[in-house]
Amino acid sequence: MARAKNKRADDKRAGGGRGAAPTVVEEVDGGLAELLPDRERTRGWTLLIDGAPQSYVDLDDPAYLGFEYQRRLGHVIDLVAPPGRPVHAVHLGGGALTLARYVAATRPRSTQQVVERDAALVQLVRRELPLDPSARIRVRSVDAREGLAKVPDGWADLVIADVFSGARTPAHLTSGEFLTEVRRVVKAGGLYAANLADGPPLAHLRGQVATAAGVFPELALVADPTVLRGKRFGNAVLVASDQPLPVAELTRRAASDPHPVRVEHGRTLRDFTGGATPVTDASAVASPAPPPSAFR
């Protein structure tokens, strides 16, 4: 475990004024974690690791999703089951447990497993951003593939992969072998959703779509058009299933966002791969590091 350093910055750094809570800064296994209070939402917090934004949580309103990529993943969650219907969900990568909180708030009595390797981060989040005691959320501090291997066949209605070491997805979570294990866990008709990050020339993103196409028969990609055109670095959400996806409803929800995005599927998505080769464990590399301008 990394050396613990827990301090609270002064009010100026925290945002100042109006009795703003102080920033929480602590060394975790993955680097320097910061919890920054939100000036606009009384109990809203942003988690950063080594300066890279990771999660946003509003403790008073866990159904509020502050980051664009979180809202896109929230759309996928909403397509798995109607509000109020419990689901079985696996979250690979925990961060501040934003999406697990969302599922628990919108679909009470859901059973969830969160796999977050950074045990020190889990302790920090549990202490500073406590979970609802009634939420059925189990957090395991192991590697994502190790944790996934312990989930029974066909157990999950939904598997979400949002794993970053710093700002990069580890190589062993980008391969066909990894996605084969994901498909084993997802029940018939269930969904897999992955938060991916890439920039020009989009080699990583194209490779991830090609890899998923070799495991799941149905795919969709949700992203800002400027990211899909290779104009800037950004996030894209890949959605996969063994059965036809609700593309029309996903498109409608994506278009209603404050920052509308595009949904690609079918032949257009196949063409997007540009002949990219599926990734294997032997050829896998971590996703590209974002440019310094990505978080400005």
Side-chain angles (χ1 to χ4, degrees):
M1 182 179 294
R3 176 179 59 87
K5 180 181 69 174
N6 186 6
K7 72 182 184 68
R8 294 181 180 270
D10 59 27
D11 281 348
K12 182 177 180 180
R13 177 168 184 182
R18 300 193 304 153
T23 298
V24 179
V25 183
E26 184 164 320
E27 290 279 357
V28 296
D29 299 342
L32 185 68
E34 298 176 85
L35 288 172
L36 306 180
D38 188 340
R39 292 184 180 187
E40 304 300 325
R41 303 179 75 92
T42 304
R43 299 182 73 205
W45 295 86
T46 298
L47 168 67
L48 294 85
I49 303 292
D50 287 339
Q54 300 285 333
S55 304
Y56 180 92
V57 168
D58 186 335
L59 295 177
D60 288 334
D61 183 8
Y64 175 78
L65 300 176
F67 287 179
E68 291 179 24
Y69 88 86
Q70 290 178 338
R71 288 196 296 274
R72 296 168 196 168
L73 289 169
H75 296 326
V76 177
I77 294 169
D78 291 340
L79 294 174
V80 170
R85 180 182 297 175
V87 298
H88 286 179
V90 176
H91 303 264
L92 304 178
L97 307 177
T98 303
L99 293 170
R101 297 172 199 265
Y102 178 84
V103 171
T106 60
R107 290 152 182 85
R109 303 183 310 283
S110 291
T111 302
Q112 302 186 74
Q113 297 187 39
V114 178
V115 184
E116 170 55 62
R117 183 174 184 171
D118 194 328
L121 176 61
V122 172
Q123 293 175 5
L124 169 65
V125 169
R126 283 188 176 277
R127 184 183 72 240
E128 301 292 340
L129 309 176
L131 290 166
D132 182 340
S134 66
R136 299 169 62 179
I137 301 172
R138 179 186 182 188
V139 184
R140 303 185 61 186
S141 296
V142 297
D143 176 77
R145 278 179 72 163
E146 180 182 345
L148 189 65
K150 297 183 182 300
V151 180
D153 293 1
W155 182 84
D157 297 288
L158 172 69
V159 174
I160 294 177
D162 184 19
V163 185
F164 287 85
S165 178
R168 305 179 70 182
T169 301
H172 69 296
L173 304 180
T174 68
S175 69
E177 290 90 338
F178 164 67
L179 288 180
T180 298
E181 186 69 359
V182 169
R183 183 165 182 183
R184 177 190 65 79
V185 167
V186 178
K187 65 178 60 174
L191 298 181
Y192 168 67
N195 178 33
L196 308 173
D198 199 9
L202 298 180
H204 173 71
L205 187 56
R206 298 182 201 278
Q208 288 303 283
V209 174
T211 304
V215 179
F216 290 94
E218 301 291 337
L219 301 177
L221 188 66
V222 187
D224 187 299
T226 60
V227 173
L228 292 176
R229 291 197 297 267
K231 299 295 185 180
R232 69 173 179 87
F233 193 97
N235 294 83
V237 169
L238 179 64
V239 187
S241 180
D242 66 344
Q243 296 183 17
L245 294 166
V247 173
E249 179 62 15
L250 181 59
T251 301
R252 185 188 70 79
R253 290 171 181 267
S256 68
D257 267 359
H259 300 283
V261 291
R262 198 163 74 205
V263 178
E264 299 287 8
H265 63 99
R267 181 173 180 176
T268 303
L269 185 54
R270 289 193 295 272
D271 291 345
F272 171 79
T273 64
T277 303
V279 177
T280 66
D281 277 345
S283 64
V285 296
S287 66
S293 61
F295 304 125
R296 289 177 185 170

